[in-house]
Amino acid sequence: MAKEIKKGKPQEVRDDGTEEERKHRVLGENWHDKAIRLDTIFNFIAGQKTHFVTLDQAVHTDHFDPELAAFAEFPANPKPLRTRYYWANAALDGYKPDDKGRAEIRTERKTGKGCWEQVLKIGGKSGKTLKRGEYKRALDGFGVNLDVYPSEIRKSALKIIKDEEFKPLIRLEGQSKPVLYRPDGRTDILFEIKFDKGKGFTFDGIEEDVIEVEIEVKERGSDVSDEEIEALLDKSESLLYQQFEGNLEPINESKAMTLFRHLVDWQECDKKGFEKAFKALPGDRWEEYKPQ
């Protein structure tokens, strides 16, 4: 019998904000093919210095011999391989087509920090840009705890999801390579283009490739309009699609959404079977993958 997993207790780390991003799925015959295409896109960005002006490009090469500066390392900072768990209740609140909105809960053990990070995202599609409230809290253990959020954030979440028993239904493994850049050299705007390679797994054994390019707004001056941001995002996308026609397609949903769609279809076709499987699922599912 699996041991009971208690809700993680909150720590002091917190980070609230709004996520604004454009997401693009890399197309290909198989995972290897998609991964190679992603690397090719990365190399294109590394060599494109007109629009994708990397954050430290001018400072990094200033006062250096031009030939030496040409060999300057592209300022990417690959993150370690990581595992993220996506949680939901038995009703799959927040993922069904007729839900009032989208709400996503994921957790990830933060290597070197001795804690788990819980991320709550609320919101959905807004034009071509995916805009969501993003609320991060550190927990001291494996689990989910909505009580760590201020009342107004928790109320917003509870309009979409019931605070019932949550279980980790999906696991995503992967690695990200983010690059910060100033679109068109704008010093009052900072974007991040991120290259993600990963795989997703549902608790019933479905597997999916997760290979994407994301462009996210990281900073914007107070005088920068939404129209300016959208126009610069359009330009970044246009450059990618002109160069890699047929290799990318725009998406406007979470990395885990396709896998959750499978679970929603299962629930609709066989509600009793899904509920039985959910009930039998240990709260510490995939414990063998958890760092000790």
Side-chain angles (χ1 to χ4, degrees), residues 243-271:
Q243 185 71 23
F244 300 100
E245 184 178 0
N247 291 328
L248 294 166
E249 69 174 2
I251 54 176
N252 216 303
E253 59 188 23
S254 161
K255 286 182 174 64
M257 192 61 204
T258 301
L259 292 170
F260 269 113
R261 195 173 292 121
H262 155 72
L263 297 180
V264 169
D265 290 343
W266 176 14
Q267 183 191 57
E268 290 180 350
C269 295
D270 182 13
K271 185 176 181 180

Side-chain angles (χ1 to χ4, degrees), residues 126-137:
S126 178
K128 290 184 290 186
T129 304
L130 183 63
K131 296 183 180 181
R132 298 184 288 182
E134 184 177 57
Y135 312 102
K136 300 179 181 179
R137 295 293 185 275

